[in-house]
Amino acid sequence: MRDKKDLLEMTFEELTEALTALGFPAYRSKQVYQWLYSGQLDFNGMSNLPKDMRSKLTDEFIAGGLKIAEKLISKIDGTRKYLFELKDGNTIESVLMKYHYGYSVCLSTQVGCRMGCAFCASASLGMVRNLTVGELLAQILTISHDIGERISHLVLMGIGEPFDNYNNVIEFMRRINREDTLNISFRKMTVSTCGIVPRILEFAREGIPVNLSVSLHAPNNEVRQKTMPVAKKWPFDELLAACKEYTEITSRRITYEYSMIENVNDSIEFAEILAKKLKGTLCHVNLIPVNTVEGIGFGKSSKARVEAFKNVLERYGIAVTVRRELGSDIMAACGQLRRKNISESGKV
Ligand code: SAH
């Protein structure tokens, strides 16, 4: 079967061109575009289009090509985890979280991940490919349509390394920021990187006020290199220098994520080292008691150790929060998302 073109890949102008080439009048493009960004990705559900147009669209195009293969809802906090099957049979996971300020989604950016962080389930099967702009869009659109609500915030913290799929990720964020699409403010978007230095520097010059999180997870090179292979390529000091440059260019603070692993990176001594390195920089530290991942033997730091670590940072005047764990009963928490073979899971 020939590859169908993905309408979500296209800008409004490109979509108009594609539909005009098939003989449809220009006003139909606007209708299709509006349907897509309302979350209706099934051409047959576009009720104000003539039937023959709907079947022509189905023959010629896809819209993202995602199918919900499985949906899990947390009994603890209502967090939802979606397993999506992509058009080529690969799978990814995305998470929907409800906060007092609205709905937030955590999206995947790649099928698998090649960064190899020792504590993360997403790394376990390696990387297959980047997600396309259409697939990035289809995650948020499908979830929004499924719950019948607007999504106000998003974090690129699912499977994959966003800065390893830089161009698509930037284009995606620019697309959903537009008034004629989802109109989501850049300030309500967060991208998280494990520390790809050249991309941090490029991102600093992108001119979009998206929040940046950097996964630090250690206060020095020795420990960081043991758990995060990316640190062998871009050592700790180089990473901090890039982060400093980012804050100088953008005047925006960076959130440093620090997953706390018992007896690996959670001592008072480490808190002191970290505090001295971050003191006076424009930042915020988010402590994440490490989540359990099957087959990976890292222990979660106790509440007391997290609290003690937090106190040290605060003494140095550094803003710190402890991340609330959402969706732990459905394996939807940080580091627990993974790609799987579709046959491993039941379909809904
Ligand atoms: N690749 C990007 C995006 C992933 S964001 C990055 O590394 O930043 C997901 C966050 O959860 C990252 O900070 C990641 O390091 C962290 N994480 C991974 N495994 C974890 C685990 N088992 N427990 C807690 N946090 C984890």
Side-chain angles (χ1 to χ4, degrees), residues 113 119-121 156-158 160-162 192-194 215 217 257 259 288-293 323 334-335:
C113 185
F119 39 77
C120 183
L156 297 181
M157 296 193 181
E161 165 53 43
S192 178
T193 178
C194 63
S215 298
H217 308 324
E257 295 158 284
S259 295
I288 318 168
V290 82
N291 293 305
T292 45
V293 170
R323 186 172 292 180
C334 303

Side-chain angles (χ1 to χ4, degrees), residues 87-136:
K87 57 180 181 282
D88 61 2
N90 278 305
T91 60
I92 51 164
E93 294 187 318
S94 323
V95 179
L96 171 82
M97 296 155 290
K98 190 174 181 183
Y99 291 101
H100 61 91
Y101 50 73
Y103 286 97
S104 176
V105 285
C106 174
L107 305 183
S108 291
T109 53
Q110 296 180 310
V111 178
C113 185
R114 61 190 180 121
M115 296 299 135
C117 299
F119 39 77
C120 183
S122 301
S124 63
L125 291 171
M127 213 270 278
V128 178
R129 67 170 176 86
N130 282 330
L131 294 185
T132 62
V133 175
E135 289 164 337
L136 289 164

